[in-house]
Amino acid sequence: MSLSTLKRNEIKDNFKNKEYDIVIIGGGITGAGVALDASQRGMKVALVEMQDFAQGTSSRSTKLVHGGLRYLKQLQVGVVAETGRERAIVYENGPHVTTPEWMLLPMHKGGTFGKFSTSIGLAMYDRLAGVKKSERKKMLSKKETLAKEPLVKKDGLKGGGYYVEYRTDDARLTIEVLKRAAEKGADILNYTKSMNFTYDDKEKVNGIQVTDMITDEPYTIHAKKVINASGPWVDEVRSADYSKNNKQLRLTKGVHIVIDQSKFPLQQAVYFDTEKDGRMIFAIPREEKAYIGTTDTFYNNDKTSPLPTQEDRDYLIDAVNYMFPGLDIEDKDIESSWAGVRPLILEEGKDPSEISRKDEIWEGKSGLLTIAGGKLTGYRHMAKGIVDLVSKRLQQEYKLKFKPCETKELKISGGDVGGSANYEQFVKEKTAEGEEYNLDHKTAEDIVRRYGSNADTLYQIAYTAQYQNSGLPIEIYAELVYGIQNEMVYKPTDFLIRRTGMLYFDIEDVKKYKDAVIDVMSQLLNYDAEQRALYVEELNEAIEEATHGNNQPAEK
């Protein structure tokens, strides 16, 4: 089964008529990882997501698969070692969505990091995280630090540390994992909400009752085991089960802002401490923009659409102006912003930044399995842990036997590029092929870098399509058609936010082409007048939230 919007009804029929080994609630990176691991082992897998895939936390992060340097500061040595190992695996299995990014750590007199402690810390980090030789830390003089990033505050500057993190497109990473899971046999559907559990005569969970959020149709999915991987909604999902334990989540919010390079000409990613509270935040260049984040505050409001407050924006602006004096960034310079909710496991009495990002598996008397907490970087390892347990339970209770986990070396969709070491050569060769489809060099290269080994399919769409009548540039048209046919794009927001990131990093093109995008989608997906009006309104609200999220009251 593919991840095609055009096969929604076929997937629904499977849901209604099959009994699965597992059904997964949640289509963020955690649920996606579980679906891939389980389907790769030969399990019959169903996955439902009440919104679009990655619409919650998994499209609202700092967009880094990072090795956890901040955890070294908290002496969480094991976490640093594990995230370092997992970071390398994520990169190797999908270099088209994960890119090494050298990070500058400026050191100032009286700042968080001193020269000696930074050198020792980064050396330990390299060792624990298993960093390869070419990416090990370097210590820079004041002159070398300013050569890397001339905008950094010169007053009190002593030098800098230089180390590698991995930048990713979090939503696209999630989609590529889900696509590979679908190729391995998983049945996967977005806009399908789990409402209640079903039970056998021994009061063991044996399925879920769901509602199609597009048609309002209710139906039941039968499965031997149910996995709750719903991120910030973990507690709500568990509340429908009689065997809920006394564990619970503590949600925190992280906000990011985007500024055009014409106002903030950042040439180097920087990890720096804030003047206000000494927290560390990132400033990262991307696609002619710079994005800055993140905040870390407790959050109790709407999880579906968390929004930045003016206080959040001011915090980040103040941090930028402190570390990069002379820019005089103002609120009006923010082009777009996003906010995400972190589902952390409650630890009483701790500040948001002190709460561990650990993950835990909770198993109820009903047999319901919940995976809670964790980080983007560790999604594969988290999935392995819970699928190991499911495999054990299915063997104990049903005498079923499955293969061991093989995701360590399993490429995600688009990742068949001959390995990370060959990636740039792959891009060069595949870009040249794109030019044979009458695409200009930049368009072809952009497609390769976003879609990896799936680029051929987009080339064919671009070559054969009558895009000239769509009012869209050829690249956007090809991505849109591909998204509908292969990535379960159903609404304009799915495409403009989570498949392309345009709403955050190219807001002007969103405004310019949104009507044409909606016209093409209306044609291909047969929207009725009511649907079209609803999706237009949703998109306009998303644009307003991204550009004017500061009109929100402060959280209590």
Side-chain angles (χ1 to χ4, degrees), residues 158-171:
K158 298 189 293 184
Y162 204 48
Y163 72 105
V164 168
E165 292 285 19
Y166 283 67
R167 181 163 53 86
T168 192
D169 184 322
D170 48 6

PDB file of all heavy atoms in Angstrom, residues 158-171:
ATOM      1  N   LYS A 158      36.013  35.598  23.992  1.00  0.00           N
ATOM      2  CA  LYS A 158      37.290  34.927  24.265  1.00  0.00           C
ATOM      3  C   LYS A 158      37.658  33.908  23.189  1.00  0.00           C
ATOM      4  O   LYS A 158      38.807  33.499  23.089  1.00  0.00           O
ATOM      5  CB  LYS A 158      37.227  34.229  25.630  1.00  0.00           C
ATOM      6  CG  LYS A 158      37.019  35.191  26.798  1.00  0.00           C
ATOM      7  CD  LYS A 158      37.189  34.492  28.134  1.00  0.00           C
ATOM      8  CE  LYS A 158      36.086  33.479  28.381  1.00  0.00           C
ATOM      9  NZ  LYS A 158      36.191  32.861  29.722  1.00  0.00           N
ATOM     10  N   GLY A 159      36.690  33.512  22.411  1.00  0.00           N
ATOM     11  CA  GLY A 159      36.920  32.486  21.402  1.00  0.00           C
ATOM     12  C   GLY A 159      35.644  31.710  21.179  1.00  0.00           C
ATOM     13  O   GLY A 159      34.546  32.191  21.499  1.00  0.00           O
ATOM     14  N   GLY A 160      35.772  30.502  20.656  1.00  0.00           N
ATOM     15  CA  GLY A 160      34.574  29.714  20.398  1.00  0.00           C
ATOM     16  C   GLY A 160      34.867  28.240  20.271  1.00  0.00           C
ATOM     17  O   GLY A 160      35.996  27.823  20.000  1.00  0.00           O
ATOM     18  N   GLY A 161      33.827  27.455  20.480  1.00  0.00           N
ATOM     19  CA  GLY A 161      33.888  26.037  20.168  1.00  0.00           C
ATOM     20  C   GLY A 161      33.202  25.825  18.826  1.00  0.00           C
ATOM     21  O   GLY A 161      32.311  26.588  18.447  1.00  0.00           O
ATOM     22  N   TYR A 162      33.619  24.796  18.109  1.00  0.00           N
ATOM     23  CA  TYR A 162      33.065  24.541  16.782  1.00  0.00           C
ATOM     24  C   TYR A 162      32.805  23.045  16.687  1.00  0.00           C
ATOM     25  O   TYR A 162      33.730  22.230  16.803  1.00  0.00           O
ATOM     26  CB  TYR A 162      34.085  24.994  15.731  1.00  0.00           C
ATOM     27  CG  TYR A 162      33.517  25.348  14.378  1.00  0.00           C
ATOM     28  CD1 TYR A 162      32.411  26.180  14.252  1.00  0.00           C
ATOM     29  CD2 TYR A 162      34.118  24.861  13.213  1.00  0.00           C
ATOM     30  CE1 TYR A 162      31.915  26.528  13.005  1.00  0.00           C
ATOM     31  CE2 TYR A 162      33.622  25.200  11.957  1.00  0.00           C
ATOM     32  CZ  TYR A 162      32.521  26.038  11.864  1.00  0.00           C
ATOM     33  OH  TYR A 162      32.026  26.392  10.623  1.00  0.00           O
ATOM     34  N   TYR A 163      31.560  22.661  16.522  1.00  0.00           N
ATOM     35  CA  TYR A 163      31.212  21.243  16.525  1.00  0.00           C
ATOM     36  C   TYR A 163      30.029  21.026  15.580  1.00  0.00           C
ATOM     37  O   TYR A 163      29.412  21.980  15.114  1.00  0.00           O
ATOM     38  CB  TYR A 163      30.873  20.773  17.947  1.00  0.00           C
ATOM     39  CG  TYR A 163      29.552  21.290  18.471  1.00  0.00           C
ATOM     40  CD1 TYR A 163      28.444  20.445  18.535  1.00  0.00           C
ATOM     41  CD2 TYR A 163      29.401  22.616  18.890  1.00  0.00           C
ATOM     42  CE1 TYR A 163      27.215  20.913  18.995  1.00  0.00           C
ATOM     43  CE2 TYR A 163      28.180  23.074  19.353  1.00  0.00           C
ATOM     44  CZ  TYR A 163      27.095  22.228  19.398  1.00  0.00           C
ATOM     45  OH  TYR A 163      25.887  22.685  19.842  1.00  0.00           O
ATOM     46  N   VAL A 164      29.709  19.778  15.311  1.00  0.00           N
ATOM     47  CA  VAL A 164      28.687  19.467  14.313  1.00  0.00           C
ATOM     48  C   VAL A 164      27.386  19.012  14.972  1.00  0.00           C
ATOM     49  O   VAL A 164      27.386  18.165  15.855  1.00  0.00           O
ATOM     50  CB  VAL A 164      29.187  18.378  13.338  1.00  0.00           C
ATOM     51  CG1 VAL A 164      28.046  17.839  12.473  1.00  0.00           C
ATOM     52  CG2 VAL A 164      30.285  18.941  12.439  1.00  0.00           C
ATOM     53  N   GLU A 165      26.291  19.622  14.526  1.00  0.00           N
ATOM     54  CA  GLU A 165      24.953  19.105  14.772  1.00  0.00           C
ATOM     55  C   GLU A 165      24.393  18.660  13.416  1.00  0.00           C
ATOM     56  O   GLU A 165      25.059  18.815  12.396  1.00  0.00           O
ATOM     57  CB  GLU A 165      24.049  20.194  15.390  1.00  0.00           C
ATOM     58  CG  GLU A 165      24.420  20.601  16.797  1.00  0.00           C
ATOM     59  CD  GLU A 165      24.025  19.584  17.862  1.00  0.00           C
ATOM     60  OE1 GLU A 165      23.784  18.402  17.500  1.00  0.00           O
ATOM     61  OE2 GLU A 165      23.983  19.954  19.034  1.00  0.00           O
ATOM     62  N   TYR A 166      23.179  18.123  13.405  1.00  0.00           N
ATOM     63  CA  TYR A 166      22.568  17.692  12.153  1.00  0.00           C
ATOM     64  C   TYR A 166      21.225  18.392  11.982  1.00  0.00           C
ATOM     65  O   TYR A 166      20.317  18.214  12.785  1.00  0.00           O
ATOM     66  CB  TYR A 166      22.374  16.173  12.140  1.00  0.00           C
ATOM     67  CG  TYR A 166      23.651  15.407  11.887  1.00  0.00           C
ATOM     68  CD1 TYR A 166      24.688  15.405  12.817  1.00  0.00           C
ATOM     69  CD2 TYR A 166      23.830  14.687  10.716  1.00  0.00           C
ATOM     70  CE1 TYR A 166      25.861  14.717  12.583  1.00  0.00           C
ATOM     71  CE2 TYR A 166      25.006  13.985  10.472  1.00  0.00           C
ATOM     72  CZ  TYR A 166      26.016  14.003  11.412  1.00  0.00           C
ATOM     73  OH  TYR A 166      27.183  13.317  11.178  1.00  0.00           O
ATOM     74  N   ARG A 167      21.140  19.200  10.936  1.00  0.00           N
ATOM     75  CA  ARG A 167      19.891  19.905  10.647  1.00  0.00           C
ATOM     76  C   ARG A 167      18.961  18.977   9.872  1.00  0.00           C
ATOM     77  O   ARG A 167      19.400  18.218   9.011  1.00  0.00           O
ATOM     78  CB  ARG A 167      20.195  21.167   9.838  1.00  0.00           C
ATOM     79  CG  ARG A 167      18.981  22.005   9.494  1.00  0.00           C
ATOM     80  CD  ARG A 167      19.390  23.417   9.065  1.00  0.00           C
ATOM     81  NE  ARG A 167      20.385  23.425   8.005  1.00  0.00           N
ATOM     82  CZ  ARG A 167      20.095  23.348   6.714  1.00  0.00           C
ATOM     83  NH1 ARG A 167      18.843  23.196   6.317  1.00  0.00           N
ATOM     84  NH2 ARG A 167      21.056  23.398   5.808  1.00  0.00           N
ATOM     85  N   THR A 168      17.674  19.036  10.156  1.00  0.00           N
ATOM     86  CA  THR A 168      16.711  18.194   9.452  1.00  0.00           C
ATOM     87  C   THR A 168      15.458  18.979   9.132  1.00  0.00           C
ATOM     88  O   THR A 168      15.245  20.080   9.637  1.00  0.00           O
ATOM     89  CB  THR A 168      16.351  16.949  10.295  1.00  0.00           C
ATOM     90  OG1 THR A 168      15.640  16.009   9.476  1.00  0.00           O
ATOM     91  CG2 THR A 168      15.470  17.311  11.488  1.00  0.00           C
ATOM     92  N   ASP A 169      14.640  18.410   8.280  1.00  0.00           N
ATOM     93  CA  ASP A 169      13.274  18.881   8.097  1.00  0.00           C
ATOM     94  C   ASP A 169      12.406  17.879   8.848  1.00  0.00           C
ATOM     95  O   ASP A 169      12.168  16.765   8.376  1.00  0.00           O
ATOM     96  CB  ASP A 169      12.916  18.921   6.608  1.00  0.00           C
ATOM     97  CG  ASP A 169      11.535  19.508   6.363  1.00  0.00           C
ATOM     98  OD1 ASP A 169      10.628  19.226   7.166  1.00  0.00           O
ATOM     99  OD2 ASP A 169      11.360  20.239   5.373  1.00  0.00           O
ATOM    100  N   ASP A 170      11.980  18.250  10.050  1.00  0.00           N
ATOM    101  CA  ASP A 170      11.325  17.291  10.945  1.00  0.00           C
ATOM    102  C   ASP A 170      10.067  16.660  10.352  1.00  0.00           C
ATOM    103  O   ASP A 170       9.863  15.446  10.445  1.00  0.00           O
ATOM    104  CB  ASP A 170      11.025  17.922  12.308  1.00  0.00           C
ATOM    105  CG  ASP A 170      10.351  19.294  12.199  1.00  0.00           C
ATOM    106  OD1 ASP A 170      10.010  19.724  11.077  1.00  0.00           O
ATOM    107  OD2 ASP A 170      10.184  19.950  13.250  1.00  0.00           O
ATOM    108  N   ALA A 171       9.235  17.479   9.701  1.00  0.00           N
ATOM    109  CA  ALA A 171       7.999  16.940   9.121  1.00  0.00           C
ATOM    110  C   ALA A 171       8.305  16.009   7.953  1.00  0.00           C
ATOM    111  O   ALA A 171       7.695  14.940   7.817  1.00  0.00           O
ATOM    112  CB  ALA A 171       7.085  18.072   8.669  1.00  0.00           C
TER     113      ALA A 171
END
